[in-house]
């Protein structure tokens, strides 16, 4: 699942995970759990996370490697929130190739910027995530365009990117994803 913050990656990834019966790996969720538990990873991630910046690749690469190595991910998985940088994309590529697997679909959730801002501020009121302050929201959107959006061209060259209009009801968007995947 690829797309800016607030585009619905988590929601659609969860629906897809249940429907296909394969796990969803979400780096953001794992980091929130680590911060709550106060593990070394959580402590090191916190200042970056709270500011809406990416957690350094040095921390995230280990995390991704260990998630991909888990038995439940051997039959396939839905990646939510990673890869988010070129270095992460390279690690994913290397790890999957070594196992004879590959990334088959990149679902790019397309949502206009003003709608994203509206959703993120709405969610801030409901969920109160530490990175939902107006300033952190701005930083997350800028970071997406700078560090993550270039991955669209990277995966586009391989013909695996599918643009999904991310505006509509949750069900409509899930239907569109079903149509794209052909299952
Ligand atoms: P959103 O897409 O709304 O920003 P996420 O839960 O995916 O929500 O990410 C929240 C934050 O967690 C990011 O701003 C970043 O600090 C951290 N994070 C999540 N995934 C990654 C990743 N792959 N690399 C670096 N930082 C990450």
């Amino acid at each position: 699942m690829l797309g800016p913050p607030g585009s619905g990656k988590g929601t659609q990834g969860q629906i897809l995970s249940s429907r296909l019966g394969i796990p969803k790996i979400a780096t953001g969720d794992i980091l929130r759990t680590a911060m709550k538990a106060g593990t070394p990873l959580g402590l090191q991630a916190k200042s970056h996370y709270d500011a809406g910046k990416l957690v350094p690749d040095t921390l995230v690469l280990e995390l991704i490697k260990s998630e991909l190595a888990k038995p439940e991910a051997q039959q396939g998985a839905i990646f939510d929130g990673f890869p988010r940088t070129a270095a992460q994309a390279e690690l994913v590529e290397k790890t999957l190739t070594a196992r004879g697997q590959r990334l088959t679909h990149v679902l790019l959730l397309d949502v206009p910027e003003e709608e994203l801002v509206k959703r993120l501020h709405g969610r801030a009121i409901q969920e109160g995530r530490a990175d939902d302050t107006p300033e952190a929201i701005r930083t997350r959107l800028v970071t997406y365009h700078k560090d993550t959006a270039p991955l669209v061209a990277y995966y586009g060259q391989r013909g695996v990117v599918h643009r999904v209009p991310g505006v509509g009801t949750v069900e409509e968007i899930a239907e569109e994803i079903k149509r794209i995947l052909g299952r």
Side-chain angles (χ1 to χ4, degrees):
M1 312 299 302
L2 190 62
S7 59
K9 302 183 297 285
T11 305
Q12 292 300 330
Q14 193 50 55
I15 293 173
L16 197 53
S17 162
S18 311
R19 200 161 64 69
L20 299 181
I22 55 175
K24 177 179 84 130
I25 304 173
T27 41
D29 290 348
I30 294 166
L31 290 170
R32 278 184 287 278
T33 304
M35 287 186 289
K36 215 167 147 191
T39 65
L41 170 68
L43 292 172
Q44 292 180 78
K46 190 166 170 23
S47 61
H48 306 279
Y49 178 98
D50 286 356
K53 293 182 184 160
L54 290 184
V55 171
D57 275 337
T58 44
L59 290 179
V60 175
L61 292 177
E62 276 311 308
L63 164 69
I64 294 174
K65 233 187 337 201
S66 82
E67 286 300 314
L68 292 181
K70 287 185 178 169
E72 53 269 33
Q74 303 312 300
Q75 301 309 316
I78 292 152
F79 302 164
D80 167 11
F82 80 98
R84 233 171 167 107
T85 63
Q88 293 180 20
E90 273 166 40
L91 176 85
V92 167
E93 176 87 20
K94 224 171 66 192
T95 310
L96 293 182
T97 304
R99 289 212 312 247
Q101 294 178 315
R102 69 197 165 84
L103 215 142
T104 57
H105 297 82
V106 174
L107 298 169
L108 175 64
L109 287 164
D110 208 0
V111 177
E113 191 94 0
E114 65 268 24
E115 170 72 14
L116 294 174
V117 172
K118 215 164 70 189
R119 287 186 190 176
L120 290 168
H121 288 290
R123 186 168 78 185
I125 295 162
Q126 289 182 335
E127 295 180 12
R129 250 168 63 169
D131 63 341
D132 273 346
T133 62
E135 204 182 327
I137 287 175
R138 247 189 325 268
T139 303
R140 281 155 64 204
L141 289 168
V142 169
T143 302
Y144 173 78
H145 290 296
K146 185 166 76 71
D147 295 319
T148 309
L151 296 182
V152 176
Y154 171 84
Y155 287 119
Q157 282 175 347
R158 294 205 247 144
V160 290
V161 176
H162 302 269
R163 226 167 250 278
V164 183
V167 184
T169 67
V170 168
E171 294 76 20
E172 280 163 356
I173 300 164
E175 258 324 293
E176 179 60 16
I177 291 176
K178 197 169 175 181
R179 197 189 59 75
I180 289 169
L181 297 180
R183 58 186 173 135

